[in-house]
Amino acid sequence: MKNMHYTRDNMAELLRGHDINPTHQRIEIAHALFSRQEHLSADQVMAIVNTRHSETSKATVYNTLKLFLEKRLIRELIVDPSKVFYDPNTTPHHHIYEIDSGKMSDIDADQVKITGLPPLPDNMVTEGIDLIVRIRNKN
Amino acid sequence: MKNMHYTRDNMAELLRGHDINPTHQRIEIAHALFSRQEHLSADQVMAIVNTRHSETSKATVYNTLKLFLEKRLIRELIVDPSKVFYDPNTTPHHHIYEIDSGKMSDIDADQVKITGLPPLPDNMVTEGIDLIVRIRNKN
DNA sequence: TCCGGAAGTTAGACAAAGTCTAGATTATTG
DNA sequence: CAATAATCTAGACTTTGTCTAACTTCCGGA
Ligand SMILES: [Mn+2]
Ligand SMILES: [Mn+2]
Ligand SMILES: [Zn+2]
Ligand SMILES: [Zn+2]
């Protein structure tokens, strides 16, 4: 993904690679997420996509984000009690969350070691491990 | 906390110990959480407290949970995108979340080691580290 | 090219969690 | 008891997200 140019054409490729039919709206939404490489809420995605002129409805934004999740193109972050954030980075990584500002940054998973987690029941499998470091300003 | 009897009187003590004036409603809400030692949503707390007869309003449930949080009597768990859960266990511990059932269980923090977290900016301090293992049924 | 179904998008109604306000109740103090 | 502070309340309101039914676009076969 280094030096990737997030053109609309490349977005279409990316979508096809995840079995997603690349429509205009889907390309715009993917572009909003991937060109920024930030953690965005549905509302923010909607605002970005409709900056120039209204072209994507709320229903489509939510439908599309859910589709991207299912197809594992993006990842969901549950860190703020009031809204979900979407993360174009699906490589294993963790997060630092600044409580006061809401700013979120990545921690590379390579650096971090987590040991001593208990074994799971036989019929269960790990979907993911979310590690969130909540930080705030010293007083 | 071993062998603790979660009587109303003991709840009043507990509240006073955290600088919370023990009113009837606050005692009932604390009792709901601590006698069960489970992870409950605001809705669930409300239902429990009003089982016999209606005695606590929605506003008071939310206000009281927020007060308990501020006074560090309980802990907030952000794990389900649609609602917050409240945890009477404030000792450092982690969580296993069964995505499909919504069931949540504790992992003792003693067993788990997390190393390699990056240093924080000088003026920042860690509020808490949330580690959530999301699991689901094998297919 | 025309047709018909499938896939995708949409506006707007709806649901659920949580917040807010202004008034009522309760507790405390003098 | 009266005044004041603390707490609680109903219900309106906000926000995030879901749902539905109609509309549009796409696409393969006649
Ligand atoms: Mn456009
Ligand atoms: Mn009672
Ligand atoms: Zn991330
Ligand atoms: Zn817990």
Side-chain angles (χ1 to χ4, degrees), chain A residues 78-81 84 96 98-99 107 111-118 120 122-138, chain B residues 78-81 84 96 98-99 107 111-118 120 122-138:
Chain A
I78 301 167
V79 65
D80 180 303
V84 171
I96 295 183
E98 288 184 32
I99 297 172
I107 305 174
Q111 339 259 20
V112 181
K113 286 272 168 317
I114 302 171
T115 60
L117 289 177
L120 300 184
D122 261 14
N123 54 327
M124 291 282 167
V125 65
T126 300
E127 178 78 19
I129 295 180
D130 292 359
L131 175 62
I132 297 154
V133 181
R134 287 170 202 278
I135 69 177
R136 61 170 173 75
N137 263 306
K138 244 177 227 167
Chain B
I78 301 167
V79 65
D80 180 304
V84 171
I96 295 183
E98 289 184 31
I99 296 172
I107 305 173
Q111 341 259 19
V112 181
K113 285 272 169 317
I114 303 172
T115 58
L117 289 178
L120 300 183
D122 260 15
N123 54 328
M124 291 283 168
V125 65
T126 299
E127 179 79 19
I129 295 180
D130 293 358
L131 175 62
I132 296 155
V133 181
R134 288 170 201 279
I135 69 176
R136 62 171 172 76
N137 262 305
K138 244 176 227 167

Side-chain angles (χ1 to χ4, degrees), chain B residues 39 77 87 89 93 95 106:
Chain B
H39 309 92
L77 289 184
D87 192 340
N89 181 358
H93 70 281
H95 292 94
D106 286 350

Side-chain angles (χ1 to χ4, degrees), chain B residues 10 18-19 27 29-30 35 39 49 67 71 80 84 86 117 137:
Chain B
N10 286 337
H18 285 256
D19 287 314
I27 287 168
I29 290 171
S35 69
H39 309 92
V49 159
L67 177 67
K71 299 295 191 178
D80 180 304
V84 171
Y86 297 90
L117 289 178
N137 262 305

Side-chain angles (χ1 to χ4, degrees), chain A residues 24 28 53 55:
Chain A
H24 177 64
E28 291 300 322
H53 54 283
E55 59 181 330

